[in-house]
Amino acid sequence: MEIKSLIVFIGICIFLILEFLFPKEKIYFKNKISRISKNIFFWLVNIGITPIIILPISIFATQFELHSLFKFNNSIMNFLFHLIIIDLFLYWWHRFNHQIPFLWKFHHVHHLDETLDISSGVRFHFGEVILSALIRSIIIITFNISLINLLLIEAIILLSSIFHHSNISIPKKIENILSKIIVTPSIHWVHHHKRQSETDANYSTIFSWWDKIFGSRSNFERKIGMPIGVEGDTEQTLKKLIFRPLKR
């Protein structure tokens, strides 16, 4: 757990510095402090529920041995296999969050952010986080994913989310190369376009190839100043965001 926290802390510091020094676009916030406070609130709540809800679920799942399949003697191969399996799960989980109305009630909160930066990468309703942990436990049990691998993969997932939500300017040639393997800001910003057709595309989390494989990659290219958010909806107060999933 300490290693995971250290990796995440160092990664966040690096991305914060890069976003401050090399922003892709200049964003003029109406209520910058209020917006970031809302995003950080959800992050802190999710940090708070991790030791009492998320971690116990994960520990139980990693210790529950249903069979002896999917175990490799090579630790690196084992880790890479687990990483790919979890990332594939995240692709479908994310896609289902958009396609199933009940799940969208929670994920909607993430998409109501009307601009993107590093803080957007940690803005997830705690209900969505708990549901994700419960469903993910099935994948953990099925593929015998170890706790150490899971914690390292969680660190990669969090840093990936922070990175592709960020407003960091990356030279086009470098981003074009990176985007063939991993999800970059230009790919994920399109997913947050206010137009519904773009919102319902680009679901990948770490590796970018899932959208190409499953036909959900958008052909739209990120443009400076394009509208971010949810079509037909607007950002809400913190109180409304918390109770948003209960809204009919």
Side-chain angles (χ1 to χ4, degrees):
M1 197 68 179
E2 291 80 6
I3 296 174
K4 175 188 172 182
S5 299
L6 181 61
I7 293 172
V8 170
F9 176 76
I10 294 172
I12 290 176
C13 289
I14 292 172
F15 290 144
L16 278 171
I17 293 170
L18 290 174
E19 188 175 69
F20 177 77
L21 295 177
F22 309 105
K24 176 78 172 181
E25 55 183 275
K26 292 184 178 180
I27 302 171
Y28 300 95
F29 299 93
K30 292 180 181 178
N31 299 294
K32 185 174 183 179
I33 295 177
S34 173
R35 173 189 164 271
I36 292 179
S37 296
K38 284 185 283 189
N39 294 357
I40 297 301
F41 168 81
F42 282 108
W43 187 32
L44 292 177
V45 170
N46 289 328
I47 289 174
I49 66 173
T50 293
I52 58 176
I53 300 176
I54 309 303
L55 191 57
I57 293 173
S58 298
I59 291 174
F60 170 80
T62 56
Q63 292 179 344
F64 189 95
E65 188 168 337
L66 188 65
H67 54 74
S68 58
L69 300 175
F70 308 114
K71 290 185 178 181
F72 304 97
N73 293 326
N74 187 298
S75 58
I76 295 176
M77 184 182 294
N78 212 39
F79 174 77
L80 292 176
F81 175 72
H82 291 166
L83 177 64
I84 291 172
I85 289 297
I86 289 289
D87 195 42
L88 176 58
F89 158 72
L90 287 175
Y91 168 84
W92 284 107
W93 171 252
H94 190 184
R95 189 164 179 168
F96 289 148
N97 267 265
H98 283 255
Q99 296 176 341
I100 299 174
F102 173 73
L103 296 178
W104 175 245
K105 286 177 178 290
F106 296 92
H107 192 58
H108 194 171
V109 172
H110 175 68
H111 275 269
L112 282 173
D113 201 354
E114 294 183 327
T115 189
L116 296 178
D117 59 18
I118 283 173
S119 71
S120 306
V122 295
R123 171 179 163 148
F124 293 95
H125 195 281
F126 43 88
E128 178 181 350
V129 173
I130 294 171
L131 287 170
S132 176
L134 288 169
I135 302 302
R136 187 186 64 176
S137 65
I138 299 172
I139 305 299
I140 294 169
I141 293 170
T142 301
F143 293 96
N144 278 318
I145 298 175
S146 65
L147 183 59
I148 183 64
N149 280 356
L150 181 64
L151 292 175
L152 290 174
I153 291 168
E154 284 180 343
I156 294 172
I157 291 167
L158 180 54
L159 291 179
S160 178
S161 179
I162 290 170
F163 170 64
H164 61 233
H165 284 92
S166 74
N167 185 33
I168 298 171
S169 179
I170 305 171
K172 191 169 183 178
K173 288 185 178 180
I174 295 177
E175 184 158 12
N176 285 341
I177 294 171
L178 288 175
S179 65
K180 294 182 186 303
I181 304 171
I182 64 172
V183 179
T184 61
S186 287
I187 291 175
H188 199 73
W189 273 59
V190 170
H191 175 70
H192 279 266
H193 195 293
K194 201 155 190 170
R195 188 167 56 220
Q196 188 69 40
S197 59
E198 312 310 334
T199 303
D200 294 334
N202 295 8
Y203 299 111
S204 298
T205 299
I206 301 174
F207 300 115
S208 59
W209 55 59
W210 302 121
D211 285 295
K212 291 182 179 179
I213 292 173
F214 299 111
S216 55
R217 181 67 177 267
S218 171
N219 292 320
F220 183 83
E221 291 188 8
R222 174 187 177 183
K223 292 179 173 58
I224 300 296
M226 68 184 193
I228 301 295
V230 177
E231 187 173 340
D233 208 343
T234 57
E235 173 68 299
Q236 306 289 318
T237 64
L238 178 58
K239 182 180 179 180
K240 287 184 178 180
L241 288 173
I242 292 171
F243 293 101
R244 183 79 186 192
L246 301 178
K247 184 179 179 181
R248 292 183 179 180

